[in-house]
Amino acid sequence: MNIVVGITGGIAAYKAPELVRLLVKAGHEVRCAATEHALQFVTRVTLETVSQHPLYSDLFATGGTEHISVREWADMVVVAPATANCIGKLASGIADDALSTLLVAMPPERILLAPAMNSGMWLNPAVQRNVQTLQGWGVCTVGPAEGELACGTSGPGRMAEPVEIVNAISNGHLPLAAQRWLVTAGPTYEKIDSVRFIGNYSSGKMGFALAQALADAGAEVELVTGPTALSISTNKHINVHRVESAREMHAAATALFPQCRGAILSAAVADYRPAEQADHKLKKQGDEGMTLRLVQNPDILATLGGMKTDSQTLVGFALETDHELENAEKKLAKKNLDYIVLNSLRDEGAGFGVDTNKVTILSRDGSHCESPLMSKKEVARLIVETVAP
Ligand code: PMT
């Protein structure tokens, strides 16, 4: 992984070079970012020597946008030590130096804080509230431990040891790190002629939220999407493949699936397409109307079910209007799935277009997990936690 070690101004900063050394030894590429106060405790030369990269500490050294290029480079930022000041600034969205600007630009799930401060400061209600706020946004923390503190007292506030921080990174801070997942999203358009198509009301919101939730958990995501107005804000962990028809989606998904650890298929794929697709605009046929002959599209989920190996996880969706559980269970078995996510069009606020969903996740072992009505972002996080724990 590409890791930025952020160092703020506390005495525990003297342990930062050891943390960098251990991370490099574990095979990570490491760059350091330090506040001005941190450089009172540890030198630029030491950090640049152990990381083998220039230190990032001046917001304007290369034109004022380096925090964005560092964010693009970094898979995660570990702040050790994280002072009360650094924690408070991040919880308030304050970006007034190189490190705090990088932290505010970083997705919260990709930040790990190792707090270090005097016990009185750690137990201060504002600090505790700030830590809880950050944890609620997905920021992870390791420590602090209890023990002797630099000020001569003893209590909670001692920074976790560098080896514990390295373990926290390897033991699931980003549980899906180094895994590749495939997601399908949106509708498909099946061409009738050069100006008309058969489509459906899928907006792509559920699939895009799934891609984001997987990337937040550390995965590399291949997002195959049908036509949608949505876009992914720059995220180097999500590769977007835009397609139009079911056959194009089938070709993209089957080519990508063998390299993936798992797939979640949330696209609303048209089951049928016109047998003939005119390359000009069809003329009106008169009062008798016109007949459109439809032929069946390939079933992408069933194809992946046939290709699936024992080490892959395959998750389908089921959009039902009646006999919901029964139909979803049939699809789970017939298409050789590990999980199926059922949403019913009878539930208000669930399904096409809206920002919310209400789902039941059925596992092949027979267990069910039902969600309340939640934002699609929260539903996506629940699905990812369930199918890729
Ligand atoms: O995009 P949004 O507006 O956010 O809406 C989200 C959603 C309602 C589209 C989504 O939550 C959802 O339910 N997606 C599945 C819709 C659907 O087509 O369901 P289905 O029961 O017809 O299909 C079952 C499964 O087979 C799905 O995983 C589907 O992607 C897959 N399928 C279906 C047909 C086909 N030819 N190939 C497929 O892969």
Side-chain angles (χ1 to χ4, degrees):
M1 268 198 289
N2 289 348
I3 300 178
V4 172
V5 173
I7 304 127
T8 61
I11 181 68
Y14 81 90
K15 295 182 182 172
E18 175 63 0
L19 172 62
V20 175
R21 196 187 65 79
L22 291 176
L23 288 170
V24 170
K25 200 171 156 205
H28 301 291
E29 187 79 14
V30 182
R31 293 173 68 172
C32 295
T35 62
E36 204 186 315
H37 289 161
L39 296 176
Q40 299 285 329
F41 296 95
V42 61
T43 70
R44 168 183 294 273
V45 176
T46 309
L47 295 172
E48 292 188 340
T49 306
V50 285
S51 68
Q52 293 289 298
H53 281 289
L55 179 71
Y56 174 52
S57 62
D58 179 355
L59 193 50
F60 299 106
T62 55
T65 56
E66 201 178 348
H67 58 293
I68 300 300
S69 51
V70 177
R71 180 199 66 176
E72 295 307 317
W73 177 86
D75 292 310
M76 68 180 296
V77 180
V78 184
V79 187
T83 57
N85 182 50
C86 157
I87 292 168
K89 284 203 307 195
L90 183 55
S92 311
I94 294 172
D96 62 355
D97 62 11
L99 178 59
S100 58
T101 308
L102 168 65
L103 287 171
V104 170
M106 205 66 195
E109 295 84 356
R110 292 182 176 270
I111 298 174
L112 175 65
L113 300 177
M117 64 199 77
N118 161 273
S119 306
M121 293 171 79
W122 173 248
L123 296 173
N124 179 290
V127 174
Q128 287 299 310
R129 181 205 55 201
N130 289 339
V131 170
Q132 279 162 22
T133 300
L134 292 172
Q135 287 171 337
W137 295 340
V139 171
C140 283
T141 55
V142 50
E146 289 213 14
E148 271 181 37
L149 301 169
C151 50
T153 59
S154 182
R158 211 180 141 81
M159 188 176 92
E161 290 303 322
V163 69
E164 292 169 54
I165 300 174
V166 175
N167 287 343
I169 294 166
S170 355
N171 295 342
H173 167 63
L174 292 172
L176 305 187
Q179 291 190 17
R180 186 172 296 276
W181 280 72
L182 168 70
V183 174
T184 66
T188 62
Y189 285 1
E190 309 300 327
K191 196 171 158 189
I192 298 171
D193 63 13
S194 58
V195 296
R196 305 175 182 96
F197 59 84
I198 297 174
N200 60 63
Y201 294 115
S202 171
S203 63
K205 286 178 184 171
M206 191 65 246
F208 275 59
L210 281 163
Q212 190 64 57
L214 285 162
D216 289 344
E220 292 298 315
V221 183
E222 305 293 346
L223 172 62
V224 180
T225 177
T228 157
L230 300 181
S231 60
I232 284 276
S233 57
T234 322
N235 188 326
K236 67 172 179 151
H237 301 282
I238 304 177
N239 302 316
V240 183
H241 308 262
R242 293 196 182 267
V243 297
E244 190 169 296
S245 66
R247 283 186 296 174
E248 286 169 12
M249 190 175 275
H250 183 268
T254 50
L256 291 163
F257 187 54
Q259 295 100 55
C260 293
R261 167 67 184 74
I264 309 180
L265 271 57
S266 69
V269 185
D271 289 322
Y272 292 91
R273 67 178 183 277
E276 281 92 35
Q277 308 188 335
D279 55 12
H280 58 278
K281 185 179 171 200
L282 291 173
K283 293 281 176 228
K284 264 192 201 158
Q285 302 279 301
D287 287 345
E288 302 100 75
M290 73 181 274
T291 303
L292 206 55
R293 197 170 71 83
L294 301 178
V295 293
Q296 203 167 0
N297 269 327
D299 189 315
I300 304 163
L301 188 57
T303 307
L304 299 193
M307 294 166 67
K308 187 166 84 79
T309 63
D310 288 347
S311 57
Q312 287 178 304
T313 302
L314 183 57
V315 184
F317 265 68
L319 182 63
E320 304 292 341
T321 51
D322 51 77
H323 301 100
E324 289 96 331
L325 272 177
E326 198 184 321
N327 288 336
E329 272 161 4
K330 273 190 201 151
K331 281 181 189 166
L332 176 78
K334 191 170 162 214
K335 300 193 186 189
N336 189 26
L337 310 181
D338 298 290
Y339 298 89
I340 194 155
V341 180
L342 163 67
N343 39 193
S344 168
L345 281 184
R346 287 203 285 188
D347 286 325
E348 203 164 321
F352 287 129
V354 287
D355 289 325
T356 49
N357 209 352
K358 179 174 185 300
V359 300
T360 305
I361 307 171
L362 288 75
S363 154
R364 73 184 306 163
D365 68 14
S367 59
H368 292 185
C369 154
E370 215 171 305
S371 83
L373 186 69
M374 303 194 285
S375 71
K376 281 186 174 161
K377 202 173 161 189
E378 288 166 316
V379 171
R381 209 177 299 153
L382 175 71
I383 294 170
V384 170
E385 281 166 8
T386 308
V387 309

